[in-house]
Amino acid sequence: MSDVRYPFTAVVGMADLRLGLLLNAVSPAVGGVLVRGEKGTAKSTMVRALAGLLPSIATVDGCRFACDPAAPDPQCPDGAHAGAPASERPARLVELPVGVSEDRIVGSLDLERALAEGVKAYEPGLLARAHRGVLYIDEVNLLQDHVVDLLLDAAAMGRSYVEREGVSVRHAARFLLVGTMNPEEGELRPQLLDRFGLTVEIAATREPAERAEVVRRRLGYDADPAAFAARFAADERALAARITAARELLAKVELTDTALRQITAVCAAFEVDGLRADIVMARTAVALAAWAGRTEVLAEDVRKAAQLALPHRRRRNPFDAPGLDEEQLDRVLEEHAQSEPEPEPQPEPATAEGSQDDPEPDPDGGPDGPDGGGPQDGGPDGGGGGGAPEPSGPDGPPLEADPAAGEDAAPQPVPAQHPSPARESAPVAAGDPYRTRLFAVNGTGRGAQGRRSPAETDGGHTVRARRPRGRLARLHLSATLRAAAPHQVARGRSSRALVLHKDDFREQVRQGRESNLVLFVVDASGSMAARQRMTAVKGAVLSLLMDAYQRRDKIGMITFRGASAELALPPTSSVEVGAARLESLPTGGRTPLAAGLLRAHEVLRVERLRDPDRRPLLVVVTDGRATGGGRDAVARSHRAAGLLAAQGVASVVLDCECGPVRLGLAGALAARLRATAVTLDELRADGVASLVRENRPMSPAMRKAA
């Protein structure tokens, strides 16, 4: 690969991304930029190219923390730098790998010197290396949450604090933070989104001419990187000079009272949480004015700052897409554009004549309203007059069943034109989500860090030490020293350095929590099609999806109805897609329960091959009926459940049966799956049933049903 970077000015389009990166280059106090976009949209290319535009920095020779000789850090671990020689070098671009550990980020004890020389020495991490440069996090949404928290804390404070393994170190860590992510692979939590100063949404252009130019330039770069870069060298120098000039102008920009009032009014109008958005908008507006060569913030700067700083702070739940109402933004800016707020006009009292002469139509009870005496569908002449409408006859509106009667109530008359329950029903909206009980996989896993099931993880707390299994990853220092100490005399130790053998090393075993693959198997048959019932069921599944989002799980969804089962959502980290598929889920037809369970078995088998460390949690949402697949449908579904149980798949059955008469079919299925069975009412974390432990033993009734 060539060492010549792709020029920043050679990227086609991407105006918002270009501006967001340049504003952070002018004022790193803005707080970084999060770039959200589909794959293959030059996110990484632009970030890497930005580092080449930053001015060179002067550093103290030999300082591992890039101290500025003009203003050295008084707490620099490498000591005082007064009068030390200095030199210039380009600003660094430090890239953070997805699997990075906390030790690699903040630094740790230099184990080699500690063991060989018997001294404590601090080995700097990536935060120290990124000081006064660019820290680039590709696929930031795939990083573990505690790592992202650590990075954003350092970016906000401009300093890294290290307290570990007997080492106490503080050093400056001011850098331009850039994160990129593909929303299809999962979202960041709203708390983490809020810590990024700006966000930019990008997508590949759909214009053939622009796409052709992108391809043409990329091919030219691949053929001769040096010659291609030379074509844009003048543009690169001009842009770098403009960044330097804007930095120098930044301190002279005035944020007027009018601009500040517009900023705070916009943040209040859009109901963003906290005050971080106000501060970020103010810093961004000042940087925009400096970038434009002005010394005063204008309304256009405030508007653009809002477009960059607020969309990702508008999310009220994990399934909301970032966005901003442009009309509302313009309205708020216009209302607060005056230097002094104008008094609000007092409303004039309504006159008696005005209230009588021009009556407004009443949509609920007026002469032509639905409850009035207007024409009715059922009567031959409309039923005139203002009296009550005639009872509907065979040709009138269809009779509706009493929703409180339950599914086992006597069937109600249905007109011939009304679709039968066996046919497909239109999708219904989900009920409001709520906090659910925690369902976890038994035992201790070794999957990716998350917040659901117990596991051995890179994070968490150290519970014990053991001999390394393969390559030593996390040294348990005290256990290693204890293992080596009894043998020092026999090994002829003659200095402060310990004499270590390979058998002395011990590694840490850390206990934390892992994320799981939560696979939903949802019954979408006619027996689930009652409108209020399906609303409650979808609300329950939506709540479980939100719980999976918060616990950093992957999710998948299988639906079954009619004659087959469908993989509606292949396993993914994008819970938003799962919510969208759930919302549009139709119902109707027979209940091929066995097909749904067998499809789940196949999906889990494939996922086990792809990611053997990620343990699955199966959530079956059903009333337990099995009417598809012939007379032995129930037996087939029980055999399929036994197949999953034999594989040791942790399962939960969400019993959706309702009505005064319950058949207990979902309980029997849970027994076959060796699963936890909960009703819709028991699913809520704040319910009385939440006092019962998950994975409770099967009741005698369940054992009998099995």
Side-chain angles (χ1 to χ4, degrees):
M1 180 181 293
S2 172
D3 293 333
V4 180
R5 290 195 180 110
Y6 194 92
F8 188 88
T9 53
V11 177
V12 178
M14 306 296 178
D16 283 347
L17 174 55
R18 186 189 308 270
L19 181 61
L21 292 173
L22 291 172
L23 290 177
N24 275 273
V26 170
S27 176
V30 166
V33 58
L34 175 65
V35 187
R36 296 164 44 92
E38 58 196 22
K39 53 187 176 292
T41 49
K43 300 187 297 290
S44 301
T45 298
M46 289 197 73
V47 175
R48 295 187 178 104
L50 177 68
L53 297 175
L54 300 181
S56 297
I57 61 173
T59 61
V60 174
D61 290 346
C63 177
R64 298 172 296 168
F65 301 87
C67 276
D68 186 351
D73 180 10
Q75 295 181 315
C76 179
D78 282 354
H81 298 304
S87 58
E88 282 199 0
R89 63 166 175 80
R92 285 181 180 143
L93 170 69
V94 176
E95 298 191 38
L96 207 69
V98 171
V100 69
S101 66
E102 185 175 338
D103 292 350
R104 185 73 184 92
I105 293 173
V106 300
S108 62
L109 183 66
D110 189 334
L111 294 175
E112 183 177 350
R113 293 188 61 190
L115 296 176
E117 303 174 20
V119 298
K120 290 195 299 184
Y122 173 67
E123 182 179 1
L126 293 176
L127 290 181
R129 182 172 175 79
H131 179 46
R132 304 174 68 197
V134 180
L135 182 62
Y136 172 44
I137 314 170
D138 195 13
E139 306 293 355
V140 63
N141 52 323
L142 302 184
L143 283 180
Q144 298 162 6
D145 285 351
H146 75 282
V147 172
V148 180
D149 276 325
L150 188 154
L151 291 167
L152 295 176
D153 281 341
M157 296 185 296
R159 185 164 291 276
S160 176
Y161 296 86
V162 185
E163 300 284 347
R164 57 193 307 129
E165 298 167 341
V167 175
S168 179
V169 173
R170 299 181 181 185
H171 66 83
R174 291 184 296 275
F175 45 79
L176 194 166
L177 177 65
V178 184
T180 60
M181 60 175 284
N182 183 351
E184 295 177 356
E185 297 173 342
E187 278 285 1
L188 279 173
R189 292 187 290 117
Q191 297 90 331
L192 298 180
L193 279 174
D194 183 56
R195 302 295 295 276
F196 278 95
L198 310 180
T199 186
V200 177
E201 295 275 346
I202 61 173
T205 177
R206 298 297 184 258
E207 291 294 330
E210 284 192 18
R211 296 174 75 97
E213 183 61 22
V214 170
V215 174
R216 187 178 299 111
R217 292 189 180 187
R218 185 67 210 192
L219 294 177
Y221 171 79
D222 291 340
D224 192 342
F228 183 83
R231 286 172 48 195
F232 295 90
D235 294 336
E236 294 283 291
R237 288 192 297 270
L239 192 57
R242 187 177 176 186
I243 292 174
T244 302
R247 283 186 172 186
E248 295 173 353
L249 186 61
L250 193 66
K252 302 176 184 177
V253 176
E254 179 188 2
L255 180 64
T256 63
D257 289 342
T258 300
L260 182 57
R261 187 167 53 253
Q262 286 181 315
I263 289 170
T264 54
V266 166
C267 291
F270 283 99
E271 300 180 348
V272 295
D273 297 330
L275 293 171
R276 182 177 285 118
D278 305 62
I279 298 171
V280 169
M281 272 191 64
R283 290 172 175 168
T284 306
V286 169
L288 280 162
W291 180 248
R294 289 185 269 102
T295 57
E296 182 179 337
V297 174
L298 304 180
E300 62 192 69
D301 301 322
V302 176
R303 188 180 194 280
K304 193 61 185 180
Q307 293 174 336
L308 293 172
L310 294 188
H312 59 301
R313 294 183 167 91
R314 289 277 297 145
R315 300 181 69 193
R316 285 292 175 265
N317 66 65
F319 309 125
D320 289 341
L324 204 64
D325 187 337
E326 299 285 346
E327 293 183 0
Q328 182 183 2
L329 174 60
D330 291 336
R331 186 166 57 252
V332 174
L333 290 175
E334 185 176 351
E335 289 174 358
H336 294 82
Q338 302 297 327
S339 58
E340 293 293 338
E342 297 180 354
E344 296 183 1
Q346 297 296 325
E348 296 183 2
T351 63
E353 291 78 11
S355 61
Q356 296 291 330
D357 293 344
D358 300 309
E360 291 291 328
D362 184 358
D364 296 324
D368 297 323
D371 296 326
Q376 303 294 318
D377 292 338
D381 58 359
E390 295 289 336
S392 300
D395 298 326
L399 299 176
E400 295 182 358
D402 181 5
E407 63 172 316
D408 296 312
Q412 301 297 316
V414 179
Q417 69 270 24
H418 193 80
S420 67
R423 296 176 61 184
E424 180 177 302
S425 301
V428 299
D432 294 333
Y434 47 83
R435 190 167 65 90
T436 66
R437 294 165 55 187
L438 169 62
F439 299 100
V441 181
N442 286 332
T444 302
R446 284 184 285 181
Q449 279 194 333
R451 301 176 63 192
R452 184 173 296 278
S453 304
E456 294 180 8
T457 62
D458 291 335
H461 59 283
T462 301
V463 293
R464 58 189 175 89
R466 68 183 177 199
R467 294 181 183 274
R469 297 178 178 177
R471 181 178 175 271
L472 177 64
R474 299 180 301 273
L475 179 71
H476 196 298
L477 182 59
S478 60
T480 299
L481 297 179
R482 287 195 301 270
H487 308 290
Q488 295 305 298
V489 175
R491 294 174 183 173
R493 177 182 173 185
S494 59
S495 65
R496 294 181 61 189
L498 289 174
V499 181
L500 296 176
H501 289 178
K502 184 177 181 180
D503 292 341
D504 298 331
F505 288 101
R506 299 292 185 270
E507 68 177 3
Q508 299 175 12
V509 178
R510 296 184 181 180
Q511 183 81 35
R513 289 191 175 273
E514 66 178 359
S515 62
N516 298 106
L517 167 61
V518 182
L519 181 62
F520 293 90
V521 181
V522 182
D523 184 349
S525 64
S527 65
M528 304 279 286
R531 180 166 294 273
Q532 291 195 359
R533 182 188 193 185
M534 199 61 194
T535 296
V537 169
K538 284 189 174 183
V541 178
L542 189 66
S543 302
L544 290 168
L545 282 171
M546 183 176 292
D547 181 69
Y549 167 85
Q550 294 168 342
R551 301 189 187 281
R552 316 307 291 163
D553 296 317
K554 289 182 68 175
I555 60 132
M557 187 181 298
I558 293 170
T559 61
F560 59 93
R561 66 188 181 95
S564 62
E566 175 190 2
L567 181 59
L569 179 67
T572 176
S573 296
S574 181
V575 182
E576 296 85 345
V577 178
R581 300 286 170 85
L582 177 70
E583 192 72 20
S584 61
L585 177 66
T587 56
R590 301 182 70 83
T591 312
L593 177 57
L597 296 175
L598 290 174
R599 188 65 185 272
H601 179 269
E602 177 62 19
V603 170
L604 293 179
R605 183 188 68 81
V606 173
E607 288 301 311
R608 196 177 297 116
L609 295 175
R610 290 177 177 170
D611 189 356
D613 289 336
R614 188 182 292 272
R615 297 188 294 167
L617 176 65
L618 183 68
V619 179
V620 184
V621 184
T622 182
D623 57 7
R625 288 180 172 85
T627 59
R631 293 183 177 180
D632 63 340
V634 174
R636 291 180 68 244
S637 64
H638 283 186
R639 286 197 297 271
L643 189 62
L644 287 162
Q647 295 291 325
V649 177
S651 305
V652 175
V653 174
L654 183 57
D655 185 356
C656 302
E657 192 174 25
C658 60
V661 179
R662 294 177 179 269
L663 303 178
L665 299 176
L669 177 65
R672 290 288 184 178
L673 282 169
R674 301 174 191 167
T676 299
V678 294
T679 64
L680 290 173
D681 293 334
E682 293 174 331
L683 183 63
R684 292 179 180 270
D686 53 356
V688 176
S690 65
L691 299 176
V692 181
R693 298 294 299 174
E694 288 81 4
N695 297 318
R696 60 184 183 269
M698 289 186 294
S699 65
M702 291 172 62
R703 292 195 186 96
K704 183 177 179 181

